[in-house]
Amino acid sequence: KDISEKVPGRKEILLDIDDLNFKGDRVQLSGSVDTFDAPDKIQKTLEGSAYLKKVTKGNVRKGVRPNEIKFEMTMDMEVPKT
């Protein structure tokens, strides 16, 4: 839930998630956006989450369709201490 709340809205970034995979404490995200700077914006907002640490942007490349940028991101989950 925290990921969907932190990611900028569709008015700011056009985001289509292709894969969201949870393995233990690691989250792998891949999808497409409409600009090359959108993955940086997503990374920056997710780094502000209390539940995610070490948000790492992976491969960013031009997609097949016009204005399609494919990207990958990896995050480590952490439960905040109360």
Side-chain angles (χ1 to χ4, degrees):
K1 181 178 174 180
D2 200 52
I3 293 172
S4 62
E5 289 177 352
K6 293 286 183 193
V7 171
R10 283 188 92 60
K11 289 183 180 181
E12 190 175 340
I13 293 176
L14 182 60
L15 168 65
D16 290 318
I17 296 175
D18 297 329
D19 188 43
L20 183 61
N21 191 2
F22 294 85
K23 280 188 176 179
D25 290 342
R26 178 158 285 189
V27 181
Q28 294 177 314
L29 167 71
S30 64
S32 59
V33 290
D34 56 343
T35 64
F36 272 104
D37 66 333
D40 293 326
K41 290 180 183 178
I42 294 168
Q43 179 182 14
K44 185 175 182 179
T45 60
L46 291 177
E47 286 173 340
S49 169
Y51 299 97
L52 301 172
K53 62 178 185 173
K54 194 178 173 193
V55 179
T56 306
K57 183 179 61 175
N59 192 11
V60 178
R61 64 199 177 284
K62 187 166 176 41
V64 177
R65 295 178 288 183
N67 299 325
E68 178 186 50
I69 309 302
K70 304 293 265 179
F71 76 99
E72 297 168 359
M73 198 166 288
T74 303
M75 299 151 272
D76 293 335
M77 292 188 300
E78 178 178 68
V79 178
K81 296 177 177 144
T82 55

